[in-house]
Amino acid sequence: MSWLQKLYDTYDNCAEVLKSNREIVDAPMLAPVGQMIQSVQVELTLDAGGKIINARVIEGHEEQSTFIPCTEDSQNRTSGACAHVLFDKLKYMAGDYYDYLWLKSSEEPSDKLRKKNEESRQEFHEARTLYMQRLNELAARCNGIVKKHLDVIVAYLKRNTLVSDLIARNILSGSIPEHIVAVQVPRKEIVKYPLYNRKIVPDVSEAFVRICVHYPGEVRDKIWEVPDFWQSYKEYYLEKLEAERSTDLCYVQGREVVPGLKHLCRIPFTNSKSKLISSNDSENFTYRGRFATSKQAMCVGYETSQKAFNALRWLVQKQSWHEKGQIYVIWGTKNQRIPAFDDDSADLLTEDPTDNSAFDGDIDTREGFAKRLILVMQGYKKELDGASQVVVLGLNSATDGRLAVTYYQEISGSDFLSRIENWHNTCQWLHAYKHDKKDEKKTHAFFGAPAPLDIIKAAYQISPADPRPKPQHPVPDHLLHATMDRLIPCILESRPLPGDLVKTLFRRASNPAAVKEDSDREMIMTVTCALVRKYYNDRGQKEEITVALQPDYPDRSYQFGRLLAYAENIESYVNKLDGENRQTNAERLMHQFSKRPMKTWQILESQLQPYTGKLQSSRFGLKARLIAEINEIVSGLSEWTDDLDKPLTELFILGYRCQLEKFQQDMKAAAEAKAQKEREKKAAEQQDSGE
Amino acid sequence: MLNRQKRTRRRTHAKSQQGCLSSLGEYALFSDPLTRVGGEKSTYPIPTYQALVGITESIYWKPTFIWYIDRVRVMNPIRMQTKGVKPILYAHGPNAAANTLSYYTYLYKVRYQVEAHFEWNPNMPDLAPDRNEDKHFQIAQRMIKRGGRRDIFLGTRECQGYVEPCTFGEGRGAYDQTPELGFGMMYHGFNYPSDTGREKLELRLWRPAMAYGIINFMLPYQCTEVRELCDWEKESFMLRRNCQPVEDLCRDVIQA
């Protein structure tokens, strides 16, 4: 099905959400048909008689968001004068805006300015006349409490006293009239008049006003939150459109409806004007050619367009992934709870984003991870079954103003869950780079799949090896977007990973000397391991590669990786004994080793001599064991018939990493055994002394 | 996949024969009209009827008959790929950029098996003497083998495609096990005056569904959702006035 149809259906399925808008603080709002969400900075409260009870500046962003009814033209207005229907900027709502501004001005304006002012005054006067006329019509058509509210508002606006009232109520500063359009205002004025704070509104004349009407005994005084009002306005506006336009065949619905001519902009974020359906290029050949006008080229109903795009905007705010203009939004058509595709396993398994408790558990072991993943997935499965549907929509814009659909996929709910589960189950490794939710400097270990963004960063983000303090080079936008576009099908369609990405990661991981930060090196290493393992397993190896070490894994690169890990281990062990902290030869020569393993091993082996010598003086047994194991690997390798010195494959990293992890585990186990022994010894001694 | 083309069945309601072809390409863009007007073309997941008619007409076409597409089988998984493009602005100010930037979304690595037949065009009575079924069928068949008379493209001009003869239903398709997939309201094709006899350009919509990888097309005259777009003049073809019968050409060549 088409994405517009799916969005339209989602809107209809979410009627409940529409009613409960605002009940949850800070939740994105789903706008009704014909309404848009606008930040409003000034609130006026009238009583039933039209007298002002209160006027205030709204500062909280959350409180500022208001549904305001609008027309197709006003919703897409740019610089021309075109009023919304009920609430708008001062210059539309206040009849005395222009009078006030210039009559009280202390300085005599120049002729040029006067002429310009006169023109714009004329333009806005016309816009306001239309605005008042429309408001009258709307009020006449409504009934019940909505009508009572509108009547009071209309009567008030007819008095043309808004600006003077706001000055009287100390919202606008009347002392210097130019302030009404002033951009720069003295600091002490801002303290007295918060509306002049540019963080609230860039220019006072741009401030939006909303009007509450308070009836005694009535709780609801905000008309824009009344569903009856939304319905009345929708009916009013549709009737008006029907009178203006003949019905046409809607390409989404397939039936005759009132067509929409201008479609919703500002989809991704409220400040961008990009549109998914735009048709304003009347000079070039986007639709011209076979068609003469954009109306001929396509037709989408007004209501369809409104519902679909309001739903899209709501979904994008609620649950989308966006990075540098690229958007992926994934949703269940019945607004079900779905797991985020862009999470790493740690985030997937901890439902509360501020919760750290998961890291105290066994999330960093394979068993703990598996158990938890099943539990979490079961939670999602309650809502998402085979009959439900999940839609994936990718959006991106090459230029301001237009948005392109770059990816579209419909997946059944159960398929979606099993693919997400599959991703986390196959692309796993033990990572250690997860930042603490509260303390950025602290990191945690977790088992599972890395987040797509972390994969991209590991592959392409350059952390300079240069010692000078320099910010990290971010991944270039186009590379980020293109890689994301290729990773999405790997997660959501279970496609094989792109080979070049795995190779890039491998090159970075096998060249640790080029990465400055230890933490970055660690992250690149584990992310590479996760991806290499998935890449090789997906290609159908004879023997599946596990996360744990496989000493007998029949692969030259894997075994060479183990060999390097031994060299690394011996060297860093001796360094530690000596209290030194420097890069080991193994790390330095790793890149060389991955290209010409046999030759580099000869160099490494000779460089290893002094270290093994030191090992002898401290731990004789350990040395014998390690050398025996190295010899075992080397003899195993010499049985290889291929050219031993040819470059290693990505499996090298896996062998290296697995062997290192094994050493760490062994060390931990040995330390624990030692501690246990000592405890036992102490207990025995205590017992002895006790007796 | 070069198979001998098979004559499957004769249709009774009009003189026609059915042919099969396999059409493939690296990219395809069957653009959704909703995204096309803005310039950010995005593809439908499946080929449109009109695009397939275009392919058959590129293979072989004469005004004597109209190609009808019976069904299409989607062989490869539906995959999309986005490319950044720089469309040229033909009308731009002296100081403005000569091109804009867009994202086009293409289908990637496509392969379709198409079954089509032709019927005589009732709106071309002047060409009645040319209604030689076997002649046209044989030429069409040969043209499929040769990859078409004109070059083939999949939906949009930049998506070069190729055709080969095949047997419909042969080989393994990616959706052979998928019971039913709906695609919602979709563009079907245009009604040109030469096909309908009405001096209007009309647009057809329909709701395709794919079952086990196969989409059975509604034929143009069966579509109910039709939108009139504009007036359009009918072309006229008169035998021996503005088109030459192949028999004449043959005689000319032999006599010469």
Side-chain angles (χ1 to χ4, degrees):
Chain A
M1 244 190 223
S2 77
W3 47 273
L4 262 173
Q5 176 76 53
K6 283 288 164 213
L7 286 167
Y8 179 86
D9 292 350
T10 309
Y11 184 95
D12 279 347
N13 291 337
C14 293
E16 284 305 310
V17 179
L18 197 62
K19 272 183 212 148
S20 63
N21 261 324
R22 282 268 165 208
E23 276 175 13
I24 306 160
V25 178
D26 264 344
M29 299 193 291
L30 177 61
V33 172
Q35 312 260 340
M36 61 188 253
I37 301 163
Q38 175 68 48
S39 294
V40 172
Q41 293 84 14
V42 179
E43 187 182 84
L44 207 64
T45 310
L46 305 176
D47 67 6
K51 224 180 89 208
I52 300 178
I53 304 174
N54 188 25
R56 65 187 184 110
V57 176
I58 311 164
E59 295 190 33
H61 179 74
E62 162 68 8
E63 210 191 338
Q64 281 182 351
S65 304
T66 310
F67 291 135
I68 61 171
C70 52
T71 66
E72 218 176 38
D73 288 328
S74 77
Q75 193 159 24
N76 288 287
R77 74 182 178 195
T78 45
S79 57
C82 179
H84 294 310
V85 179
L86 182 57
F87 303 133
D88 208 323
K89 291 178 186 171
L90 266 180
K91 50 188 172 189
Y92 293 101
M93 286 185 81
D96 55 346
Y97 176 79
Y98 274 87
D99 308 343
Y100 219 88
L101 185 62
W102 291 104
L103 284 179
K104 283 194 177 175
S105 170
S106 52
E107 265 179 55
E108 194 62 29
S110 68
D111 280 352
K112 200 177 162 193
L113 206 63
R114 196 193 292 273
K115 198 174 161 226
K116 199 177 156 208
N117 182 47
E118 197 48 50
E119 275 171 16
S120 97
R121 181 196 187 129
Q122 194 59 38
E123 196 187 357
F124 276 96
H125 180 71
E126 276 166 27
R128 187 166 193 276
T129 318
L130 184 68
Y131 163 75
M132 288 306 290
Q133 185 194 333
R134 217 163 24 202
L135 202 53
N136 270 322
E137 275 174 25
L138 178 64
R141 215 192 154 282
C142 295
N143 44 37
I145 183 82
V146 176
K147 184 174 170 54
K148 281 205 268 178
H149 273 245
L150 286 178
D151 282 344
V152 174
I153 294 173
V154 170
Y156 174 75
L157 289 176
K158 267 187 190 152
R159 295 212 305 259
N160 292 346
T161 56
L162 184 58
V163 170
S164 52
D165 286 344
L166 288 178
I167 290 173
R169 291 262 163 184
N170 281 334
I171 303 291
L172 292 173
S173 151
S175 58
I176 315 166
E178 295 86 20
H179 278 186
I180 295 176
V181 287
V183 178
Q184 294 281 331
V185 170
R187 188 175 288 267
K188 67 170 194 269
E189 291 274 321
I190 294 180
V191 179
K192 252 168 82 188
Y193 302 100
L195 194 58
Y196 291 89
N197 185 345
R198 291 184 70 185
K199 275 182 193 151
I200 292 183
V201 59
D203 173 352
V204 177
S205 64
E206 299 286 309
F208 273 74
V209 184
R210 69 187 187 199
I211 302 177
C212 310
V213 180
H214 184 71
Y215 274 93
E218 185 75 45
V219 189
R220 268 215 155 130
D221 57 356
K222 297 181 166 84
I223 185 175
W224 60 90
E225 288 178 6
V226 181
D228 280 352
F229 173 61
W230 305 338
Q231 187 59 29
S232 307
Y233 176 69
K234 179 179 140 189
E235 283 165 12
Y236 157 77
Y237 190 58
L238 275 175
E239 258 173 40
K240 225 172 144 56
L241 280 183
E242 254 169 71
E244 282 172 18
R245 301 171 186 171
S246 51
T247 58
D248 208 340
L249 185 66
C250 170
Y251 283 20
V252 179
Q253 306 280 337
R255 53 189 161 84
E256 295 277 327
V257 290
V258 181
L261 297 184
K262 290 179 179 172
H263 302 278
L264 204 59
C265 60
R266 302 206 289 182
I267 287 157
F269 316 103
T270 40
N271 57 358
S272 99
K273 283 257 178 192
S274 37
K275 282 183 176 191
L276 261 167
I277 301 181
S278 73
S279 54
N280 58 358
D281 182 10
S282 54
E283 288 189 328
N284 282 292
F285 299 93
T286 46
Y287 58 81
R288 255 155 45 89
R290 197 193 312 263
F291 307 114
T293 64
S294 61
K295 253 191 223 173
Q296 280 175 16
M298 57 111 203
C299 167
V300 177
Y302 171 76
E303 207 179 335
T304 318
S305 159
Q306 282 279 323
K307 282 185 175 176
F309 287 123
N310 280 342
L312 177 59
R313 185 190 279 168
W314 171 65
L315 288 165
V316 164
Q317 280 183 3
K318 191 162 81 89
Q319 56 190 49
S320 70
W321 179 89
H322 49 83
E323 193 78 31
K324 315 266 188 232
Q326 187 185 36
I327 303 171
Y328 274 98
V329 50
I330 303 183
W331 75 95
T333 50
K334 295 210 167 101
N335 193 26
Q336 300 98 327
R337 216 168 51 91
I338 57 165
F341 78 96
D342 58 313
D343 277 353
D344 52 34
S345 299
D347 281 335
L348 184 79
L349 300 187
T350 51
E351 317 234 320
D352 181 5
T354 55
D355 186 16
N356 266 326
S357 63
F359 299 115
D360 307 334
D362 45 4
I363 191 167
D364 55 349
T365 64
R366 196 187 149 80
E367 295 73 29
F369 163 81
K371 227 185 273 169
R372 240 181 137 121
L373 185 66
I374 291 170
L375 266 179
V376 168
M377 283 297 161
Q378 264 170 359
Y380 288 116
K381 271 174 197 156
K382 272 180 206 145
E383 287 183 52
L384 284 173
D385 50 21
S388 63
Q389 213 167 26
V390 173
V391 184
V392 189
L393 183 66
L395 304 170
N396 204 343
S397 64
T399 50
D400 293 344
R402 292 193 314 243
L403 211 55
V405 176
T406 57
Y407 183 88
Y408 180 69
Q409 191 84 31
E410 288 164 21
I411 313 170
S412 82
S414 51
D415 275 358
F416 176 75
L417 286 183
S418 69
R419 286 173 198 179
I420 291 273
E421 199 172 350
N422 180 45
W423 168 259
H424 286 273
N425 264 331
T426 54
C427 190
Q428 51 183 218
W429 202 263
L430 180 64
H431 306 278
Y433 61 81
K434 191 73 195 166
H435 285 287
D436 195 283
K437 305 267 164 67
K438 283 163 195 139
D439 180 8
E440 264 296 298
K441 281 176 194 153
K442 235 165 101 184
T443 52
H444 293 283
F446 73 97
F447 191 87
L453 195 59
D454 287 334
I455 296 176
I456 297 171
K457 278 185 182 161
Y460 300 113
Q461 184 151 287
I462 302 158
S463 71
D466 198 309
R468 275 172 301 175
K470 223 199 254 172
Q472 282 198 327
H473 297 297
V475 185
D477 289 359
H478 62 276
L479 193 58
L480 177 81
H481 293 173
T483 317
M484 198 63 199
D485 280 342
R486 293 197 302 158
L487 274 176
I488 291 273
C490 303
I491 303 172
L492 299 179
E493 298 170 35
S494 300
R495 288 200 188 286
L497 287 165
D500 63 302
L501 182 69
V502 176
K503 281 210 165 62
T504 306
L505 277 167
F506 167 66
R507 271 196 295 275
R508 293 204 76 191
S510 60
N511 192 5
V515 183
K516 190 189 156 210
E517 296 288 334
D518 277 352
S519 57
D520 288 349
R521 211 177 296 154
E522 230 353 75
M523 176 183 157
I524 292 170
M525 181 64 83
T526 55
V527 167
T528 308
C529 288
L531 265 75
V532 167
R533 175 169 171 261
K534 180 172 168 59
Y535 182 69
Y536 274 85
N537 280 345
D538 285 354
R539 289 207 316 192
Q541 292 291 298
K542 275 177 229 143
E543 195 178 324
E544 200 194 319
I545 308 165
T546 60
V547 175
L549 178 71
Q550 291 155 293
D552 303 323
Y553 194 77
D555 184 89
R556 180 180 65 100
S557 303
Y558 194 90
Q559 296 299 341
F560 261 123
R562 288 185 58 209
L563 201 56
L564 189 70
Y566 271 91
E568 156 79 21
N569 189 46
I570 291 169
E571 222 177 311
S572 60
Y573 181 77
V574 173
N575 274 348
K576 215 196 237 162
L577 285 183
D578 293 353
E580 283 188 55
N581 182 24
R582 59 162 184 260
Q583 211 173 25
T584 59
N585 284 314
E587 266 181 328
R588 254 202 314 245
L589 290 175
M590 191 169 174
H591 186 57
Q592 189 72 15
F593 190 83
S594 71
K595 292 207 164 134
R596 293 195 305 183
M598 209 53 229
K599 282 216 172 80
T600 318
W601 176 245
Q602 284 163 8
I603 301 168
L604 260 178
E605 206 174 18
S606 63
Q607 281 174 341
L608 206 59
Q609 291 297 338
Y611 294 95
T612 32
K614 276 189 186 171
L615 208 59
Q616 191 168 22
S617 55
S618 58
R619 298 278 299 272
F620 187 72
L622 182 67
K623 182 196 170 185
R625 207 186 75 221
L626 286 175
I627 287 182
E629 279 171 9
I630 288 178
N631 285 339
E632 197 186 318
I633 299 173
V634 173
S635 67
L637 275 168
S638 57
E639 283 168 21
W640 219 261
T641 47
D642 281 10
D643 180 9
L644 268 180
D645 205 28
K646 69 179 182 189
L648 299 174
T649 66
E650 291 84 354
L651 288 178
F652 156 61
I653 282 293
L654 291 184
Y656 175 72
R657 185 70 191 184
C658 282
Q659 188 64 54
L660 278 188
E661 273 167 15
K662 182 86 186 7
F663 284 135
Q664 269 168 14
Q665 281 165 13
D666 287 352
M667 227 139 84
K668 224 191 236 171
E672 241 164 56
K674 204 174 159 193
Q676 180 68 24
K677 223 178 224 172
E678 254 165 43
R679 268 202 300 277
E680 275 169 17
K681 210 170 150 193
K682 242 182 207 166
E685 270 171 20
Q686 269 174 4
Q687 230 170 17
D688 286 348
S689 61
E691 277 174 6
Chain B
M1 202 164 86
L2 267 153
N3 294 298
R4 286 191 50 213
Q5 189 183 350
K6 216 167 89 185
R7 283 168 64 161
T8 47
R9 65 194 154 106
R10 276 171 182 272
R11 292 182 88 92
T12 47
H13 68 273
K15 280 192 174 176
S16 74
Q17 292 184 353
Q18 217 156 22
C20 296
L21 58 105
S22 162
S23 141
L24 62 149
E26 188 80 355
Y27 292 101
L29 204 174
F30 307 106
S31 44
D32 184 339
L34 299 179
T35 58
R36 197 178 167 119
V37 281
E40 309 272 336
K41 293 184 208 174
S42 180
T43 183
Y44 277 130
I46 50 168
T48 62
Y49 181 88
Q50 196 69 40
L52 296 176
V53 167
I55 291 173
T56 49
E57 287 182 350
S58 284
I59 295 168
Y60 175 63
W61 178 78
K62 281 285 175 276
T64 316
F65 59 82
I66 304 172
W67 277 112
Y68 289 97
I69 311 295
D70 299 304
R71 48 189 184 149
V72 64
R73 179 161 174 242
V74 181
M75 300 298 286
N76 288 353
I78 297 167
R79 292 158 71 181
M80 288 184 182
Q81 202 178 85
T82 301
K83 289 194 198 187
V85 290
K86 274 176 129 180
I88 296 166
L89 289 178
Y90 289 95
H92 61 91
N95 301 320
N99 62 272
T100 174
L101 294 173
S102 285
Y103 281 120
Y104 286 2
T105 305
Y106 295 87
L107 288 175
Y108 178 54
K109 288 222 192 299
V110 296
R111 183 184 202 98
Y112 303 108
Q113 288 182 349
V114 183
E115 196 174 73
H117 71 276
F118 59 77
E119 292 173 24
W120 303 132
N121 188 343
N123 304 307
M124 296 282 173
D126 296 334
L127 298 177
D130 189 37
R131 291 180 185 168
N132 179 345
E133 185 195 327
D134 202 45
K135 177 184 85 174
H136 289 299
F137 182 69
Q138 294 303 336
I139 298 175
Q141 225 181 0
R142 281 202 298 277
M143 286 312 117
I144 296 173
K145 271 188 197 152
R146 278 159 183 73
R149 284 200 165 174
R150 295 192 238 159
D151 51 354
I152 309 294
F153 52 91
L154 302 165
T156 312
R157 198 63 191 80
E158 68 262 29
C159 301
Q160 193 66 42
Y162 306 90
V163 288
E164 297 165 351
C166 77
T167 310
F168 196 89
E170 188 189 60
R172 267 204 6 218
Y175 295 93
D176 289 353
Q177 313 302 327
T178 314
E180 174 127 351
L181 220 59
F183 296 95
M185 210 65 200
M186 209 176 115
Y187 162 77
H188 185 278
F190 289 115
N191 279 337
Y192 288 106
S194 55
D195 297 346
T196 59
R198 294 186 291 274
E199 298 241 307
K200 297 264 184 235
L201 177 67
E202 294 163 335
L203 178 133
R204 307 182 301 266
L205 298 176
W206 75 310
R207 291 182 190 277
M210 182 168 85
Y212 302 101
I214 296 174
I215 299 158
N216 287 306
F217 280 109
M218 228 177 197
L219 293 183
Y221 45 77
Q222 295 167 329
C223 289
T224 49
E225 280 93 359
V226 179
R227 180 175 182 241
E228 193 183 304
L229 300 179
C230 55
D231 294 337
W232 202 271
E233 226 174 272
K234 196 182 151 186
E235 303 148 301
S236 98
F237 292 99
M238 302 275 276
L239 218 52
R240 297 199 174 81
R241 186 167 300 165
N242 61 357
C243 56
Q244 182 189 33
V246 72
E247 293 87 350
D248 287 11
L249 180 74
C250 176
R251 206 169 41 239
D252 288 355
V253 170
I254 289 166
Q255 276 170 5

